[in-house]
Amino acid sequence: MANYSALNNNEGRNPFVMHEQRSTTYEQDIEESDNEEAPPASGIVIHVAPESGKARWNHIEDLDSFFSRMYCYHQKHGFWVMMLQEVFELFQFIFVVTFTSYLMHCVKYDVLFSDPPHEVKVTIPDVLMSGSKCVATFGAWTWTALTLSVLFWFFRLIKVLYHFIQFWDIKLFFNTALKIDDSELDNLTWHEVQRRIREVQSEQQMCIHKEQLTELDIYHRILRFKNYTVAMMNKNILPAKIRLPILGDVSILSRGLRYNIDLILFWGPWSPFENNWHLREDFKKSHLRKELASKLGKQITWVALTNFLLSPLIFMWQLMYFFFNYTDLLKREPGKLGTRCWSQYGKIYLRHLNELDHELEARLNRAYRPAVKYMNSFSSPLMAVIAQNMVFICGGVLSVFIILTIYDEDVMQVQHVLTVMSALTAIVVIFRVFIPEENLIWCPEQLLTAVLAHVHYLPVTWRSRAHTSHVRDQFGQLFQFKASFLLNELFSPLTTPFVLMFFLRPRALDIVDFFRNFTVSVVGVGDVCSFAQMDIRRHGNPDWQLTPSTEVEPEFTPTCETNQYTQGEHGKTELSLVHFTKTNPTWKMPEEAKKFVQGITRHAVNDLNRTRASTVAGAAPTILSTTAMGESLMSMGSMGVEYSSIVQSVLRQNQMLNNSQMGQSFFHIPTHGGTAQEQQQQQQQQAAHQVTMDFERMLHQNLTDTSMPLRSTLLTDIAEDEDGDGVRSVRRSVVAGASTTSMSQTRAMPRAMSSSLRGVSRREGSSDLDPNGILYSLNCFPNTEAQPELTAADMSLSTLYLHELHHRHMSRRGVRLEEQSQREQWQMPHQQQTPSSAASTAGPSSTGLAERTPLLSSKKS
């Protein structure tokens, strides 16, 4: 476990001092060895490259940038693809500026529009000016804009040349140190590249403060600032939504706003970080918090004013960019504006701590289809009536124009006929979005459960309320229309200054407190967000953890030392830890994390055993939903054919195991007994075997019974991308699963699940199944190579199980939905609280001057 110390003490000790002294001596020895040969007994460590001309990467000063460039190099398909893309972007900028200036000054629009009408046919040279005449029409504003554009282009050119040098070094590192050619780059996952990086660290010592790098160290360096952003969004510090008088809550987070927030907080000249890996010392001292908050507020003010002054130019550029990118799309497929996409706010809210970009995109891609179906399941009867009549009228007029055009093509030469036809087509396409499908099945709760299994984070107050318009509107902020997304990006230059001034600046003191209280120094990594350590004891939420009981041994229940200010919200710490362990199964977990992960798995196995034991006692078939594991399996089985087949395989693989044997399969619990006890145990095994068969029949019936239209329809509804034959064949294999062997089912699994991951360009996890996962512990696929789809399925099952445990825990405590909603919204700006209310709560004071509850002590852990 990495040693780290708190940064909220006044001493401000640097944990890297001793390491820097050692590294200085080491560097001096290396420099001396470059000039003269060292005697054999000198003790100086000399690195000998195994190949002549091999580059050396010993002691890279900025490993954050180096690892980030390596990740970018891998994800963007290598050196030449990246450089070609940047060169084309330079030419695109020249084209946009030149073509826009030419359209504004060099086209004779009076001749083009025949005003007055001409007797002869107008040609293209007739409507275009010569070069000299065109330049003569340029005014002062045009020359100013062109000058700024030229300066900006030269800045971009210097940046491209700088990237050429940087990524050429990355190319040499891949080809020489990692021994990965560019032709093999797309055949290797990032986790395979990461494994080779750790091997090179042992040979070349890129990081001199640690002999070995862990997977978490590499993630910390790539995602250092993004982890801060995710944690601050989780604690409701960063502005993401505002309430407007008529529109209600509106998501305002855009790329431009995120760029300005990153500029202010992370890499700008006056940011709290003095370099990529070290927080400024004054931010670590509590007595300077008010002064630092005042300075940060002024800096935000200056950035907001700069954005306000530059907003017209930035908006014009955004407008031109929007025009050149989406005009052809609007002409060909105007219905694309009615599709949906994940908003910027949704991507940060749904992101795990220590989750790379391609891992996040893979999860959101899997959740896209059920999310679309959930949003499409809602329809307004009023809008449906209006849309049907608009489509009827506009479609009738459009049909007449089409028939006339087919009869005589000269109809297209009538003035504005093409414009009218284009407008009618757009109206028909847009209003069809509001017309519900004829064969729509109303199952919002199951659809939202399928979304939750992939995105992993949804407010617990939405449970059993998926059918309400409130939940639909709130989910629409995470999953918004493409048109809303584009409009938000288009007008972000105009809204960003006001968001910075009136929503981010008042939270300056909260930001300063966050950096001081939630920053730790990790040996060999630097200053990181303490939430990114995924420490269950320091940042876990007691409502999302197991409590000591007879069901879970105390050694598998980590202690939680958090309060409402230091804990992660929505199970962020717990789910992030589980996700990281599944995507990096070789990571050596700290003891507290290991206790939590294995405790969850043990509880899941015991839940499955209790379900079968309850059936032995003659309980009703509804016993499936009386345990968290049974309910999670039912929810997972309703997500699609591929997931129901996994549930079937789980039960079939374990149908010959009784309660004690299932416990021994993972935890190796020994059993002892005499002859009489052995006979009694054999009788229990026979009874348990019969119970297992009955239990599996019940689950088969619940998952495949045609008398339950919601579940049976949803199986094909979510997995609609499969062809008809594929769906029918997989459904037949599921219904007749009792007659097939578990091995044949396992071999067919990758083919059945491949359809759910179409469009994912990068595999998000390791090729190994997590040995601490639920599927592995149940011996679901014991003798086959684990597939990445199984890793995703294991995470989905774990997510559903953790949410179910949380719901049952809150229900036992008698916590109502209103109270849970208040718990989620507790982290509000301190200016909105009254002194009396602040004095009566454990949160921050109303004036914002009181010290936050310190997170970490000065001792190392």
Side-chain angles (χ1 to χ4, degrees):
M1 179 176 179
N3 293 330
Y4 57 90
S5 60
L7 298 182
N8 58 350
N9 54 346
N10 297 328
E11 297 177 358
R13 296 179 180 176
N14 191 346
F16 292 96
V17 173
M18 184 177 297
H19 294 274
E20 289 177 357
Q21 292 175 355
R22 295 176 182 174
S23 63
T24 303
T25 305
Y26 180 79
E27 291 172 11
Q28 291 175 356
D29 293 340
I30 292 298
E31 291 176 357
E32 293 174 0
S33 66
D34 291 338
N35 298 327
E36 59 183 5
E37 293 184 1
S42 63
I44 300 176
V45 179
I46 301 177
H47 172 74
V48 179
E51 299 178 6
S52 59
K54 184 177 180 179
R56 294 177 55 183
W57 288 271
N58 178 272
H59 185 201
I60 299 175
E61 182 178 1
D62 189 0
L63 275 175
D64 285 37
S65 300
F66 188 76
F67 286 156
S68 298
R69 289 195 297 268
M70 288 186 60
Y71 177 72
C72 183
Y73 186 91
H74 175 262
Q75 293 297 306
K76 294 187 177 180
H77 313 287
F79 179 79
W80 297 112
V81 176
M82 296 177 60
M83 291 299 103
L84 185 63
Q85 177 63 30
E86 295 203 11
V87 169
F88 275 129
E89 288 179 357
L90 290 176
F91 283 106
Q92 286 179 5
F93 184 84
I94 296 176
F95 171 77
V96 170
V97 174
T98 305
F99 191 58
T100 303
S101 302
Y102 195 86
L103 291 177
M104 293 177 62
H105 296 277
C106 303
V107 178
K108 302 177 183 178
Y109 289 100
D110 54 345
V111 178
L112 179 63
F113 296 133
S114 300
D115 187 20
H118 299 278
E119 297 180 357
V120 297
K121 189 173 182 179
V122 179
T123 60
I124 293 180
D126 295 334
V127 300
L128 301 180
M129 296 183 183
S130 61
S132 58
K133 292 182 179 180
C134 179
V135 173
T137 60
F138 287 2
W141 286 104
T142 304
W143 284 113
T144 302
L146 290 176
T147 303
L148 294 176
S149 300
V150 171
L151 294 176
F152 181 76
W153 187 85
F154 273 106
F155 173 77
R156 291 282 299 273
L157 178 62
I158 295 174
K159 187 176 179 181
V160 170
L161 295 177
Y162 180 64
H163 284 175
F164 184 92
I165 298 174
Q166 284 184 321
F167 285 103
W168 182 260
D169 183 63
I170 299 298
K171 173 180 171 61
L172 294 178
F173 183 81
F174 267 84
N175 299 152
T176 307
L178 301 183
K179 298 180 181 180
I180 299 176
D181 295 332
D182 290 354
S183 59
E184 301 176 357
L185 199 61
D186 288 340
N187 298 326
L188 297 176
T189 65
W190 169 251
H191 287 269
E192 294 171 336
V193 175
Q194 185 174 258
R195 178 182 55 82
R196 298 196 185 188
I197 293 174
R198 297 174 59 209
E199 294 174 354
V200 171
Q201 163 66 17
S202 303
E203 176 188 348
Q204 304 217 14
Q205 289 296 309
M206 297 178 292
C207 176
I208 63 174
H209 301 292
K210 296 183 69 174
E211 183 178 355
Q212 298 290 338
L213 289 177
T214 66
E215 295 89 342
L216 188 59
D217 293 338
I218 299 176
Y219 272 71
H220 275 334
R221 291 190 174 275
I222 298 176
L223 302 169
R224 189 188 304 269
F225 296 152
K226 289 185 178 180
N227 282 331
Y228 273 104
T229 302
V230 172
M232 284 191 285
M233 184 65 71
N234 181 250
K235 301 302 292 183
N236 199 24
I237 293 178
L238 296 181
K241 299 184 295 183
I242 60 175
R243 182 176 293 275
L244 298 179
I246 300 178
L247 301 178
D249 291 336
V250 178
S251 176
I252 57 173
L253 195 63
S254 61
R255 291 193 183 99
L257 181 57
R258 287 190 61 182
Y259 176 86
N260 281 273
I261 292 176
D262 292 343
L263 173 67
I264 294 170
L265 299 183
F266 301 121
W267 55 268
W270 300 284
S271 69
F273 285 83
E274 60 182 354
N275 51 44
N276 284 342
W277 61 89
H278 186 62
L279 187 70
R280 296 181 186 273
E281 291 297 329
D282 50 356
F283 274 84
K284 304 174 185 179
K285 301 175 181 178
S286 60
H287 65 276
L288 297 177
R289 57 194 294 270
K290 291 185 290 183
E291 180 182 351
L292 293 173
S294 177
K295 290 182 180 179
L296 182 60
K298 292 179 181 178
Q299 294 166 9
I300 296 174
T301 302
W302 282 112
V303 174
L305 291 176
T306 304
N307 275 269
F308 180 76
L309 295 177
L310 297 178
S311 58
L313 294 177
I314 302 176
F315 176 72
M316 290 301 298
W317 171 255
Q318 289 277 73
L319 192 61
M320 289 187 295
Y321 182 84
F322 178 85
F323 176 79
F324 286 105
N325 276 276
Y326 297 104
T327 300
D328 182 65
L329 178 65
L330 294 178
K331 179 183 176 181
R332 291 185 294 104
E333 299 179 76
K336 286 290 185 180
L337 294 179
T339 60
R340 291 185 175 270
C341 63
W342 298 101
S343 65
Q344 293 291 329
Y345 165 60
K347 289 182 178 181
I348 299 181
Y349 176 84
L350 300 175
R351 187 169 194 152
H352 288 293
L353 297 164
N354 299 311
E355 183 176 27
L356 295 171
D357 293 342
H358 74 283
E359 297 171 352
L360 173 66
E361 291 298 328
R363 285 199 300 115
L364 298 184
N365 287 344
R366 287 196 302 270
Y368 182 83
R369 289 189 180 91
V372 168
K373 292 186 176 298
Y374 172 74
M375 296 301 294
N376 290 342
S377 62
F378 291 89
S379 60
S380 171
L382 179 62
M383 287 300 302
V385 172
I386 296 175
Q388 288 175 353
N389 286 273
M390 290 295 296
V391 169
F392 177 79
I393 296 173
C394 296
V397 177
L398 181 62
S399 301
V400 172
F401 277 109
I402 293 175
I403 294 174
L404 292 177
T405 303
I406 295 175
Y407 179 76
D408 190 353
E409 62 181 9
D410 293 337
V411 176
M412 298 296 296
Q413 300 180 3
V414 179
Q415 191 176 15
H416 300 309
V417 167
L418 184 60
T419 303
V420 172
M421 294 180 65
S422 301
L424 292 174
T425 302
I427 293 174
V428 170
V429 171
I430 292 174
F431 275 93
R432 276 180 179 171
V433 176
F434 300 99
I435 301 177
E437 299 180 6
E438 295 182 359
N439 302 320
L440 181 65
I441 300 297
W442 177 250
C443 50
E445 197 68 41
Q446 290 177 331
L447 288 171
L448 195 60
T449 300
V451 175
L452 173 63
H454 296 306
V455 301
H456 303 165
Y457 296 103
L458 289 178
V460 295
T461 56
W462 292 3
R463 186 183 181 94
S464 303
R465 300 177 60 190
H467 61 283
T468 62
S469 58
H470 172 74
V471 174
R472 186 267 315 270
D473 295 338
Q474 293 295 318
F475 184 73
Q477 297 174 10
L478 306 176
F479 193 62
Q480 60 186 183
F481 281 113
K482 188 72 173 181
S484 301
F485 177 84
L486 295 177
L487 290 177
N488 187 27
E489 295 293 336
L490 178 62
F491 290 99
S492 63
L494 305 179
T495 59
T496 295
F498 297 98
V499 176
L500 294 176
M501 179 66 71
F502 300 107
F503 293 94
L504 183 64
R505 186 175 62 88
R507 306 185 184 187
L509 185 59
D510 290 332
I511 295 174
V512 172
D513 286 341
F514 185 90
F515 278 120
R516 184 185 67 262
N517 288 329
F518 299 111
T519 297
V520 294
S521 290
V522 181
V523 175
V525 178
D527 295 341
V528 300
C529 180
S530 60
F531 282 96
Q533 288 292 98
M534 300 176 296
D535 192 336
I536 295 297
R537 180 167 54 89
R538 298 182 183 274
H539 290 301
N541 192 329
D543 295 336
W544 286 83
Q545 297 186 19
L546 300 175
T547 57
S549 63
T550 58
E551 301 168 0
V552 181
E553 282 70 11
E555 62 267 18
F556 288 98
T557 306
T559 57
C560 188
E561 302 174 358
T562 61
N563 51 45
Q564 201 171 19
Y565 179 61
T566 61
Q567 69 188 17
E569 307 296 332
H570 310 292
K572 179 68 72 173
T573 306
E574 290 78 10
L575 288 169
S576 296
L577 174 62
V578 174
H579 179 265
F580 191 81
T581 58
K582 294 187 184 307
T583 53
N584 298 274
T586 59
W587 176 56
K588 296 182 179 179
M589 291 180 286
E591 189 62 27
E592 295 292 331
K594 190 175 183 180
K595 286 182 180 179
F596 173 78
V597 175
Q598 291 188 353
I600 291 296
T601 304
R602 185 183 181 92
H603 197 276
V605 174
N606 290 340
D607 256 0
L608 189 59
N609 292 335
R610 284 195 305 272
T611 302
R612 298 178 179 183
S614 300
T615 312
V616 171
T622 56
I623 195 65
L624 270 177
S625 60
T626 59
T627 62
M629 189 59 180
E631 182 66 28
S632 301
L633 288 173
M634 292 293 295
S635 299
M636 187 174 179
S638 64
M639 288 168 53
V641 177
E642 60 273 15
Y643 291 96
S644 64
S645 59
I646 289 181
V647 175
Q648 298 291 335
S649 182
V650 167
L651 297 177
R652 256 194 313 277
Q653 190 68 25
N654 297 277
Q655 65 182 358
M656 300 302 296
L657 300 177
N658 59 16
N659 297 349
S660 61
Q661 288 174 331
M662 286 196 66
Q664 295 172 16
S665 65
F666 182 69
F667 295 97
H668 307 287
I669 301 175
T671 57
H672 304 281
T675 306
Q677 293 179 351
E678 290 179 355
Q679 295 177 357
Q680 183 178 4
Q681 185 178 4
Q682 292 178 358
Q683 295 177 358
Q684 292 177 355
Q685 289 179 358
Q686 295 176 358
H689 176 69
Q690 182 64 33
V691 170
T692 302
M693 299 300 294
D694 295 339
F695 175 77
E696 186 173 351
R697 289 195 197 97
M698 285 193 301
L699 190 59
H700 274 293
Q701 183 178 2
N702 279 283
L703 292 179
T704 59
D705 189 4
T706 56
S707 64
M708 301 179 64
L710 296 184
R711 289 189 182 273
S712 61
T713 305
L714 191 60
L715 294 179
T716 55
D717 197 33
I718 297 179
E720 65 174 1
D721 55 329
E722 300 178 356
D723 53 18
D725 297 336
V727 172
R728 285 191 293 270
S729 62
V730 174
R731 182 183 295 274
R732 283 194 296 268
S733 66
V734 171
V735 176
S739 61
T740 59
T741 62
S742 60
M743 185 61 67
S744 63
Q745 178 67 27
T746 304
R747 291 175 179 174
M749 188 65 60
R751 292 193 298 270
M753 293 194 62
S754 60
S755 61
S756 63
L757 296 179
R758 292 176 184 174
V760 179
S761 59
R762 292 291 185 181
R763 192 170 65 188
E764 81 249 46
S766 172
S767 58
D768 299 325
L769 196 62
D770 179 22
N772 294 312
I774 297 178
L775 293 182
Y776 190 96
S777 67
L778 294 175
N779 291 327
C780 183
F781 310 103
N783 298 320
T784 58
E785 181 181 357
Q787 300 293 327
E789 293 86 349
L790 302 181
T791 300
D794 194 10
M795 185 64 208
S796 297
L797 180 58
S798 302
T799 299
L800 294 173
Y801 187 61
L802 280 172
H803 276 268
E804 184 64 28
L805 287 178
H806 170 73
H807 170 69
R808 291 168 183 257
H809 176 64
M810 300 302 288
S811 299
R812 286 195 299 267
R813 291 177 54 189
V815 180
R816 296 187 299 271
L817 292 178
E818 294 78 6
E819 297 178 3
Q820 296 188 42
S821 178
Q822 293 176 1
R823 289 170 179 264
E824 295 173 0
Q825 299 296 331
W826 77 271
Q827 179 72 29
M828 298 298 291
H830 49 72
Q831 290 85 352
Q832 296 181 4
Q833 296 182 1
T834 61
S836 59
S837 62
S840 61
T841 59
S845 67
S846 61
T847 59
L849 302 180
E851 173 65 74
R852 297 283 196 181
T853 303
L855 168 66
L856 301 173
S857 60
S858 59
K859 65 180 180 180
K860 293 183 179 181
S861 59

